[in-house]
Structures are given as structure tokens and as C-alpha cells.
Amino acid sequence: MKRALVVIDMIEDFAHEGGALYCGPSMGRIIPVIQRELERARVAGEPIIYLTDNHVPDDAEFKMFPPHAIVGTKGAEIIPELAPEEADDVIPKRRFSGFFGTDLDITLRERDVDTLRLVGDCTNICVLYTAADARNLGYAVEVVRDGVTSFDEEAHHDALRELEKTLGAKIV
Ligand code: ZN
């Protein structure tokens, strides 16, 4: 098994109060968990990949959600508590799934990765749909229970069940 840690959407607009689409106080609880995951992955030599929402100003997604994570703005930046290091990959995305319209799959294959360990937000949106595409492409998926969250707690729990029961992800 070769595993990569995938950190999803830990950007200013979602993670910090005052951000354009603040995900809520549970974000504060997952940050230290993700810090520990980053330390663990660095010691283990696992590739670390950050997926970041990164929208054009008139992105179609803004028909559903208020504008957020606009290219080049502070809101689209990874929060300093989880700052990437030189060797890490940062992959911008415009859709829920980190695989859609990005080079995530190529990047993982180049690193011989077969297992993704997911942390970040939101459990029921970008985590869920990235996990679904990962499973379609044949990757094993682990989701760190205390390292994911959502603005909608019920949807968070529903998504964890869906990840485990339908997608065959391992909840750790
Ligand atoms: Zn978005």
C-alpha cells in the first residue's frame, strides 16, 4: 500500500470566522487533528496533497452557494495553521470532486499512490464527491472521522455512513 494524505478545502473562506462561506466552529476542532495528520504523514514519507476550492469570479457554483474561494483572493488561500511545505502538491479545483478537471489522478499515479486518506471539509460535499471519484478510479479510501466536518451536522453524519456503507471507505 502507498498512501497519500489529501487535505481538502482548508482555506480562509471556509475555515476562519468572517470567511465568505465559514463552515462553523467545528472547523476549529479539525485543525489540530489535521496538524497531527500532517506531522504523521511527513514522518512516514507519505505524499501530501492539498485540494483547494478556486473559483472564477462568475463560477456556475455561485448559483448554488454565495461567492467564495475566488482565484487570487485571500479567501482562496490555505490557512497558515496548515501551511503546505515545498514538497507538497497544491491542486486547485472548481468542482466538488478534486478529480474533476484537475491533474489529481495523474499526480497520484506518478507517486504510485493507491490509497487516499482524506481530511478537511465539507464531509458531505467535497470530501464525499472526491471519495466517490477515488473509488470509481480504483483507489482505496480512508476518512479520518475527527478530521472532517460540515456546516450541517446531520449531513456530516449521513455522509460518513454513505462513505462507509456505499463507497467502502474505511472510517478511521
Ligand atoms: Zn466552491
Side-chain angles (χ1 to χ4, degrees):
M1 174 181 94
K2 185 165 179 198
R3 186 166 62 187
L5 178 65
V6 180
V7 181
I8 301 175
D9 283 343
M10 293 304 291
I11 60 171
E12 293 283 350
D13 268 348
F14 297 145
H16 284 158
E17 209 172 343
L21 205 52
Y22 178 47
C23 205
S26 64
M27 292 299 278
R29 290 199 295 274
I30 70 169
I31 291 170
V33 176
I34 299 175
Q35 284 171 329
R36 285 196 295 277
E37 279 293 324
L38 285 166
E39 280 165 32
R40 185 200 54 72
R42 293 193 198 290
V43 170
E46 290 178 11
I48 295 171
I49 295 171
Y50 291 77
L51 299 175
T52 65
D53 231 17
N54 205 256
H55 292 296
V56 294
D58 60 348
D59 205 290
E61 196 178 289
F62 301 157
K63 292 190 176 79
M64 289 181 67
F65 295 101
H68 59 274
I70 294 171
V71 180
T73 64
K74 168 105 175 148
E77 290 173 12
I78 295 165
I79 57 171
E81 299 95 307
L82 302 173
E85 290 186 0
E86 188 75 29
D88 303 339
D89 291 291
V90 178
I91 299 181
K93 64 180 181 62
R94 288 183 56 194
R95 293 292 181 260
F96 300 157
S97 168
F99 288 97
F100 198 91
T102 73
D103 64 359
L104 176 58
D105 187 44
I106 299 168
T107 303
L108 294 167
R109 286 178 198 284
E110 282 176 348
R111 287 159 183 54
D112 295 320
V113 168
D114 57 18
T115 302
L116 306 188
R117 187 172 176 99
L118 307 182
V119 291
D121 66 297
C122 294
T123 320
N124 55 310
I125 307 179
C126 293
V127 174
L128 179 64
Y129 290 97
T130 298
D133 277 348
R135 297 296 292 135
N136 287 333
L137 290 163
Y139 294 97
V141 173
E142 302 172 357
V143 179
V144 179
R145 184 187 300 275
D146 297 331
V148 293
T149 192
S150 174
F151 56 89
D152 180 336
E153 201 180 334
E154 195 184 341
H156 161 79
H157 289 293
D158 287 348
L160 281 176
R161 194 170 51 238
E162 190 73 5
L163 282 157
E164 184 173 31
K165 304 290 184 199
T166 307
L167 294 173
K170 198 166 146 192
I171 312 297
V172 297

